[in-house]
Amino acid sequence: MISNIPSEKYLVLGSVATLSYTNEINYTRQIHDIDIIMDKEQVLNVKKSLLRLGFKLSTFIDKRMPFYKALVKKSKSRYLRFSKDGIAIEILSTYFEYEGDTLKFDLYPKIWVKIPAKYLSKSNFENVSFSTLNIDVLWGIKKILNNTIGRIVKFKEAQRMNDLLALENLVDLKSAKKKISSCRFGVSKWSFRVPSLLLR
């Protein structure tokens, strides 16, 4: 599915990205879905391919999610869930904006992140190679989300914590925090660095 997509146009995140790194310390668990952030211009062809393969299209937005009312308005165009035979692929359709040596993309409506392109990485899981984030930055973003949105959303809380602890066993926290400090997060036109307390 992603083999024909330019590596700079999508990122695999979530369980698959986490386990691709933690496999080396024998941390594994069941995967419920494959989470992908993808450039909007690539999504239509992927959608056609998955539907042709018999996947059913729905959305991964539900009422447990923060900003549910804002998300549900675009649930069928931006937050896509494809399912077949117990396999679920969830795609966040957004624009990948390369500005010099950085990549900017949305995480939620009007909430975005800008990451130095040098922190994009290749990883693999079960013999499938894919684009994702450097392990330090992946840990940092998961930590930030856990200390913000994760305070509200209790769904899969234990799983999120176990994932974070496993990643922490593999990263140099000082180096990881330095890398995250070079990223920018924003809401609409406002941009800010991550407060250090969100990485504790």
Side-chain angles (χ1 to χ4, degrees), residues 59-77:
T59 181
F60 60 84
I61 301 303
D62 66 44
K63 293 183 178 180
R64 293 174 296 202
M65 301 178 76
F67 316 114
Y68 169 75
K69 289 183 179 179
L71 295 172
V72 76
K73 292 176 182 176
K74 297 184 178 180
S75 60
K76 294 183 180 178
S77 61

Side-chain angles (χ1 to χ4, degrees), residues 138-156:
L138 179 67
W139 167 81
I141 288 179
K142 284 179 173 289
K143 187 75 170 179
I144 292 162
L145 291 174
N146 189 65
N147 286 336
T148 52
I149 293 170
R151 303 285 186 184
I152 303 167
V153 179
K154 299 302 180 182
F155 182 62
K156 295 184 180 179

Side-chain angles (χ1 to χ4, degrees), residues 75-160:
S75 60
K76 294 183 180 178
S77 61
R78 294 196 63 184
Y79 308 101
L80 311 175
R81 187 174 198 272
F82 300 89
S83 55
K84 177 185 177 184
D85 301 331
I87 299 171
I89 300 168
E90 297 183 349
I91 298 176
L92 166 55
S93 171
T94 184
Y95 284 110
F96 275 34
E97 300 176 33
Y98 282 90
E99 302 171 356
D101 61 352
T102 63
L103 168 62
K104 179 182 177 184
F105 57 87
D106 288 347
L107 293 171
Y108 280 92
K110 299 183 180 180
I111 300 176
W112 50 266
V113 62
K114 186 185 289 186
I115 297 171
K118 65 183 179 181
Y119 296 148
L120 304 182
S121 184
K122 281 283 189 181
S123 192
N124 67 79
F125 184 72
E126 296 187 351
N127 298 317
V128 177
S129 180
F130 51 83
S131 297
T132 186
L133 296 173
N134 167 286
I135 188 173
D136 295 330
V137 177
L138 179 67
W139 167 81
I141 288 179
K142 284 179 173 289
K143 187 75 170 179
I144 292 162
L145 291 174
N146 189 65
N147 286 336
T148 52
I149 293 170
R151 303 285 186 184
I152 303 167
V153 179
K154 299 302 180 182
F155 182 62
K156 295 184 180 179
E157 183 177 26
Q159 176 182 293
R160 293 198 311 266

